[in-house]
Amino acid sequence: MIANIVTAVLLLSGALLALTAAIGIVRFPDTLTRMHAASKPQTLGLLLCLAGAGIQLQHAVDVWMLLLAGLFTGLTAPVVAHRIGRVAYQEQRLRDATIDPDDVETGARD
C-alpha cells in the first residue's frame, strides 16, 4: 500500500516536471533559457519517473535497466546542454541582456 502511494507521488511529480519543461521550451524566448528548461527539469522528471517505476517493478533485471537509463540520461543531458549553449554563443544567437560583457572571458579559445 505504501509502495503504491510512493510510486504515485514519484510518477506524478516526474510528469509535472516534464510538463513544466515542455511549457518552458515553448514559452521561453531564447536558446539559453530554452536549453535550461529542456535539461534540468526534464532530467529530474525522468529520474523521478524511473524511481517510481523501479519501486513498482521490483525485479532485479528491470531495476538495473532503469538505473542504466537514469545513469545515461544523467551523464548525457549536461553534455548536450553545454554543446547547445556553446554553439548558440559562437553563432551569436543570444539576446543582448542574456550575458553580461564583464562575464565573458577575454581571449577564450573557440
Side-chain angles (χ1 to χ4, degrees), residues 7-78:
T7 299
V9 168
L10 287 172
L11 289 174
L12 287 174
S13 59
L16 183 65
L17 279 170
L19 176 66
T20 58
I23 292 170
I25 290 170
V26 172
R27 298 283 305 202
F28 285 149
D30 65 339
T31 304
L32 292 181
T33 53
R34 286 179 182 171
M35 173 193 62
H36 179 77
S39 61
K40 298 195 187 319
Q42 182 270 338
T43 302
L44 181 59
L46 176 67
L47 292 176
L48 289 174
C49 287
L50 290 175
I55 290 172
Q56 202 64 358
L57 291 175
Q58 298 179 352
H59 289 84
V61 175
D62 298 332
V63 173
W64 280 112
M65 288 296 184
L66 295 174
L67 284 173
L68 282 175
L71 178 70
F72 289 137
T73 300
L75 290 174
T76 58

Side-chain angles (χ1 to χ4, degrees), residues 30 32-33 94-101 103:
D30 65 339
L32 292 181
T33 53
L94 308 173
R95 291 184 302 157
D96 292 334
T98 304
I99 294 181
D100 186 17
D103 291 341

